[in-house]
Amino acid sequence: MTIESKKLSSTQTFEEVLEAVQPMITSIITKLQIYKDFDYYRQIASIAVWKVWLKAQPAKGQFSAYIYSSIKGEILNELSKEKNYLERITVVEDETLHYMLSERERGESQKSSDYLECIFTQLEQGERHIILLYYVAGYNDREIADILGLSNAVSKKRRMRVIQRLREPIFQVE
C-alpha cells in the first residue's frame, strides 16, 4: 500500500498510517545518507509517526506533509545528538588505554622519584651510604655493619632512624 494509492488521514489507525508511510521513511533515510543503523532510525521514524498521529487534527492541513516533516526532523535531531556525542567522547582501544595508564603511572613514579631524590639529598653522607647499601646494593644489616665498621645493632638502628626521617616529610605532604 503506497501513499498515492491511499490518502493518509488522522482518522486511520496508527498501524495503517505506519504501514502507509514505510516508503516515506525509507526515502528520508536514503536522502539523509544514513548507511548504518537502519533499524534504529526506522524506530525513531516510527516514534515520530506515533507522536504525529496522537496530535493530528484533520482541520489543520495535509497530514502527509506533517508526517514527512516530523519524521525528517526527528531523524535529524537524532543525527545531531549522535554527532555531538561523538565529538565529546573519544573511543579508546584497549591497547591505547593500557598505554595511557602506564604513562600516567610512569609520570607519578617520576614525581615520586624526584621527590625522594630531593629528600635524599638532605641526608648526611653516612645516612645516604647506609640507605644505598641496603636498598640499592641489597646488603643486609650485618653486611652493612661490616662494611662501615659498626656493630649489627648500630647499623640497623641508624637505618631505621633514616627511614623514619624519610617517612615524616612524605606523610606531611599527603
Side-chain angles (χ1 to χ4, degrees):
M1 177 180 339
T2 64
I3 296 174
E4 292 83 23
S5 65
K6 187 167 183 179
K7 273 279 208 201
L8 287 176
S9 74
S10 58
T11 58
Q12 293 174 312
T13 67
F14 170 69
E15 290 79 18
E16 292 172 339
V17 172
L18 185 60
E19 186 178 326
V21 297
Q22 287 304 314
M24 181 189 297
I25 292 172
T26 303
S27 172
I28 292 170
I29 289 174
T30 305
K31 284 180 184 175
L32 293 176
Q33 299 178 354
I34 296 173
Y35 300 111
K36 60 179 183 173
D37 301 329
F38 295 111
D39 293 334
Y40 177 72
Y41 289 102
R42 276 197 182 281
Q43 184 67 23
I44 297 294
S46 298
I47 292 170
V49 171
W50 181 70
K51 288 178 182 177
V52 168
W53 182 77
L54 288 176
K55 290 193 264 180
Q57 297 175 357
K60 292 257 179 166
Q62 280 193 329
F63 187 58
S64 60
Y66 183 36
I67 288 177
Y68 182 87
S69 62
S70 295
I71 291 171
K72 189 171 181 180
E74 288 293 324
I75 292 175
L76 287 172
N77 284 340
E78 193 61 32
L79 287 170
S80 177
K81 286 179 191 176
E82 185 178 333
K83 180 183 174 218
N84 289 338
Y85 175 78
L86 291 175
E87 286 175 354
R88 286 181 284 141
I89 303 300
T90 304
V91 179
V92 180
E93 295 177 14
D94 286 343
E95 292 177 13
T96 307
L97 185 60
H98 290 302
Y99 176 77
M100 290 168 59
L101 289 173
S102 66
E103 280 293 312
R104 192 182 86 197
E105 289 171 0
R106 276 191 289 241
E108 289 175 1
S109 67
Q110 181 64 36
K111 290 176 189 174
S112 300
S113 177
D114 292 344
Y115 182 70
L116 286 175
E117 184 178 354
C118 180
I119 292 173
F120 195 71
T121 58
Q122 296 173 1
L123 297 176
E124 296 174 11
Q125 181 63 30
E127 295 171 332
R128 270 187 264 159
H129 195 65
I130 290 173
I131 295 298
L132 287 172
L133 288 172
Y134 189 82
Y135 290 103
V136 177
Y139 291 108
N140 62 31
D141 290 317
R142 174 168 289 153
E143 293 169 327
I144 293 172
D146 291 339
I147 292 170
L148 297 177
L150 305 169
S151 71
N152 188 23
V154 171
S155 171
K156 184 176 181 179
K157 183 73 172 173
R158 284 187 184 175
R159 182 178 59 80
M160 296 303 285
R161 198 177 311 133
V162 171
I163 291 171
Q164 185 60 37
R165 281 185 54 208
L166 289 173
R167 282 185 182 156
E168 290 172 359
I170 292 172
F171 289 118
Q172 288 174 356
V173 171
E174 293 179 358

